[in-house]
Amino acid sequence: MDNKIIRIPHELFALSESSRFEGSYQSDPLVLGADEYAFTKPLSYRVDVTNVGGAFLVQGNVFASVSTQCARCLDPAYGEYTGDIEGYFLIDGESAAPEDMEGDEYEYLNEEHTIDLEPLIRAALIMVLPQRPFCKEDCKGLCFECGANLNHETCECNKQIHLVEEPSQPSRFDALKNYKFE
Ligand SMILES: [Zn+2]
Ligand SMILES: [Zn+2]
């Protein structure tokens, strides 16, 4: 069985029974808009599955080592993140969803009594992955003028940026501004 799918054992169908499941699996990259987050190690998870009466509550954590692109300089940016996994699976025919739950907050346990953790894990990671990841906190980014990566090199135009209070030097952007599109 795939390691991201857990099977609910018979003994868990008794009220208040709880079991812990741990595992890991190599996940495909997560793509959020224009950003891609690759996983440099298998995702590892730990969840407790508890019979809360007519339903299973799934709660735990996922640990991810992530590689993505720095939002400032486009170099690789690495980070480690922990997301909170939460799911609620009704045991079909036994009960109705709690009144305070929206339709997208619960699912039905399938006939095989298996739970695919992957959607829960992805939802957990989306909450904690940085929207603007940086290669390091003080990343200097790219020069607006020449595109030099200012973490690795300096450039002549960089000096001009520091004199920005002065009437600005003509730049690529000014040239574009004055350009008349036919
Ligand atoms: Zn950077
Ligand atoms: Zn430059």
Side-chain angles (χ1 to χ4, degrees):
M1 189 192 292
D2 200 322
N3 216 7
K4 66 197 173 198
I5 295 176
I6 58 176
R7 184 183 294 274
I8 306 298
H10 278 298
E11 54 270 26
L12 266 190
F13 282 83
L15 181 61
S16 299
E17 285 296 319
S18 187
S19 252
R20 175 161 290 187
F21 298 83
E22 294 177 278
S24 63
Y25 66 97
Q26 185 61 53
S27 168
D28 290 334
L30 190 58
V31 178
L32 300 175
D35 299 313
E36 181 170 309
Y37 301 83
F39 301 106
T40 56
K41 287 186 222 164
L43 294 175
S44 69
Y45 64 83
R46 185 168 58 216
V47 293
D48 291 318
V49 179
T50 306
N51 186 323
V52 292
F56 290 108
L57 177 64
V58 181
Q59 273 183 315
N61 297 109
V62 55
F63 310 95
S65 298
V66 174
S67 162
T68 184
Q69 200 174 41
C70 175
R72 278 192 198 132
C73 75
L74 312 183
D75 269 359
Y78 300 100
E80 312 235 305
Y81 302 94
T82 302
D84 293 326
I85 298 172
E86 192 159 319
Y88 196 87
F89 293 83
L90 291 172
I91 302 168
D92 205 5
E94 277 201 23
S95 62
E99 280 181 15
D100 60 346
M101 268 196 187
E102 305 281 341
D104 59 355
E105 289 180 285
Y106 60 86
E107 291 171 64
Y108 288 93
L109 187 68
N110 61 29
E111 286 178 2
E112 292 78 41
H113 298 167
T114 58
I115 292 176
D116 183 357
L117 292 175
E118 188 163 46
L120 303 181
I121 285 175
R122 291 193 160 236
L125 290 175
I126 287 169
M127 300 299 287
V128 294
L129 290 173
Q131 292 190 332
R132 282 178 58 75
F134 297 124
C135 57
K136 53 185 178 182
E137 243 173 71
D138 61 345
C139 169
K140 296 188 181 77
L142 303 177
C143 170
F144 291 114
E145 289 274 340
C146 71
N149 186 330
L150 302 176
N151 297 309
H152 306 312
E153 54 187 317
T154 53
C155 60
E156 290 304 310
C157 20
N158 188 32
K159 289 173 190 154
Q160 292 175 357
I161 286 171
H162 287 290
L163 300 173
V164 74
E165 312 314 334
E166 303 294 323
S168 62
Q169 306 283 331
S171 74
R172 271 210 304 230
F173 297 114
D174 291 325
L176 270 178
K177 240 185 287 172
N178 298 327
Y179 187 81
K180 298 276 187 291
F181 291 95
E182 299 295 327

